[in-house]
Amino acid sequence: GLTGPFNNTANGSAQSPLGTPVTDASDDGVDPDPNGNGDPTEAGENDPTPISISESPVLGVAKSAAATVDNGDGTFDSAITVTVENLGNVDLSSLQVTDDLTSTFPLPATYSIQVAPASGTLTANAGFDGNADQNLLAGADTLAVGATATITFTVRFDPNGLAGPFNNTANGSAQSPLATPTTDVSDDGVDPDPNGN
């Protein structure tokens, strides 16, 4: 999660044949005495060497729906699982996943949230309704490099004569330690990166 650069210095020491000690702190580069005056300890000749990383923030999102349950009264329940994965090389912060259910179930279809969003490792947004509040998360979550997390909720819908299928997509967003944004639109299933590239 640190942004770097990571400044690094080497310290050298030795002694003359008569035991006189000499020391020097490294200067960035390949020349210990850039001005060539024989004194490598001068100001500007002991600069630390920065070690930087090249950020590559990548968020992956997948979404799956369990078999639809027929409630016998014209309504149906669908249990949804959203999977998010940090596929990049830096930790991600400000993680958010949105789901617009009004687009999924257009009028005259109606829907309601039957089971509020939940997650074992992320902070779910209990106020999610898929319309006025489309955020599945509270918005302060982080996702470490290589980490995967899931969000589950159940929606009940009444097709009111529409045949379906009702295609549903989740949109994920996050940012790197240097505030570089990354986004992804969910893929159908449980693997955000099926081809592994």
Side-chain angles (χ1 to χ4, degrees), residues 46-95:
N46 296 306
D47 298 321
T49 300
I51 301 173
S52 301
I53 58 173
S54 178
E55 283 192 341
S56 179
V58 181
L59 174 66
V61 184
K63 186 174 199 178
S64 63
T68 303
V69 176
D70 186 342
N71 296 314
D73 60 359
T75 66
F76 302 85
D77 286 357
S78 181
I80 305 293
T81 299
V82 178
T83 304
V84 292
E85 183 176 3
N86 184 342
L87 299 164
N89 67 354
V90 290
D91 293 349
L92 299 175
S93 63
S94 301
L95 178 65

Side-chain angles (χ1 to χ4, degrees), residues 104-187:
T104 301
F105 301 104
L107 294 173
T110 59
Y111 73 89
S112 63
I113 303 302
Q114 191 66 18
V115 178
S119 177
T121 55
L122 303 175
T123 308
N125 174 22
F128 167 77
D129 63 10
N131 182 17
D133 190 345
Q134 298 178 7
N135 293 334
L136 288 169
L137 298 175
D141 284 291
T142 60
L143 198 60
V145 174
T148 300
T150 59
I151 310 159
T152 59
F153 67 95
T154 300
V155 60
R156 176 168 293 174
F157 63 96
D158 184 340
N160 281 322
L162 296 181
F166 299 94
N167 292 317
N168 183 234
T169 300
N171 294 280
S173 62
Q175 65 179 22
S176 74
L178 293 177
T180 302
T182 175
T183 61
D184 190 39
V185 177
S186 64
D187 189 32

